[in-house]
Structure formats: C-alpha cells, structure tokens
Amino acid sequence: QVQLVESGGGLVQAGGSLRLSCAASGSSFSINVMGWYRQAPGKQRELVAYIISGGSTIYVDSVKGRFTISRDNAKNTVYLQMNSLKPEDTAVYYCSADESLGLGQSRRYWGQGTQVTVSS
C-alpha cells in the first residue's frame, strides 16, 4: 500500500505562483511514475504532468512553459511548481503514484486532493 499526502494549494491571483508537494509513504520503493492531475468543477479529471523515476517528464500542452514537475526520490516526494497561473488553472489537484507490480502491471494510488484557486 502507498499513501500520498499533498500540500501547497491555496488562493492566488492570476500571474502568481504556487508549489504543490506530494509525499509518498508505505511501499513507495516500487513507485515508478508520479504525477499530478486536476479536476475543475463540472469537468473530467485531466492529466497535468507526470515524471518517471529516471526523470523523464510529460506535460499537458496548456501548462507547458508554466509548470514544472520534479521529484526527490530520496524523499519519495513529487513537486509541481506552478508559475504564471491563470484562472483556468483553478481546480482540485490530485497527486498520483503508479506502483509497479511486475509483469508490466501497475496499481495507481491517489492523494486526497488540494484546491488551487486562481482569481482574475
């Protein structure tokens, strides 16, 4: 089992910055991919960014150049630095962790979510 605890959400004005953190505990040694998703009211949850244990990253187009995902493997923590925030970035942000089960299979865990609100 993997437990994920997020922190860092809040209210910020457009153009501002926030940094989200997500600490993994439990069977975190087998985590291969960690990521951030978000869900705005009335919308489906969408991928924001993810990072593989080797350091490769993927971003959704809408956040490229503004958000940076990073990972501290020693602390089993993933971060999302969000700059130049826009009102459309307002959402609940969820941390995810994919635990490798072997044979190409994995199990995904979710954090509890943290609210990010960007005012115009």
Side-chain angles (χ1 to χ4, degrees), residues 11-28:
L11 173 64
V12 65
Q13 289 188 332
S17 298
L18 283 174
R19 188 193 195 207
L20 305 182
S21 300
C22 173
S25 61
S27 303
S28 54

Side-chain angles (χ1 to χ4, degrees), residues 1-7 21-36 71-79 95-99 109-111:
Q1 290 290 323
V2 174
Q3 295 80 42
L4 301 175
V5 178
E6 303 154 352
S7 60
S21 300
C22 173
S25 61
S27 303
S28 54
F29 60 87
S30 58
I31 293 175
N32 181 33
V33 181
M34 296 190 77
W36 291 95
R71 181 173 177 174
D72 186 333
N73 289 326
K75 295 182 179 180
N76 292 317
T77 299
V78 64
Y79 305 96
C95 174
S96 69
D98 291 352
E99 177 188 23
Y109 296 89
W110 294 98

Side-chain angles (χ1 to χ4, degrees), residues 16-74:
S17 298
L18 283 174
R19 188 193 195 207
L20 305 182
S21 300
C22 173
S25 61
S27 303
S28 54
F29 60 87
S30 58
I31 293 175
N32 181 33
V33 181
M34 296 190 77
W36 291 95
Y37 288 71
R38 66 186 179 186
Q39 187 167 17
K43 295 187 177 181
Q44 290 188 332
R45 189 174 298 188
E46 66 169 355
L47 173 69
V48 176
Y50 69 77
I51 183 167
I52 302 173
S53 56
S56 298
T57 58
I58 292 289
Y59 297 91
V60 67
D61 286 347
S62 60
V63 308
K64 285 180 180 177
R66 301 188 298 122
F67 291 11
T68 302
I69 189 170
S70 60
R71 181 173 177 174
D72 186 333
N73 289 326

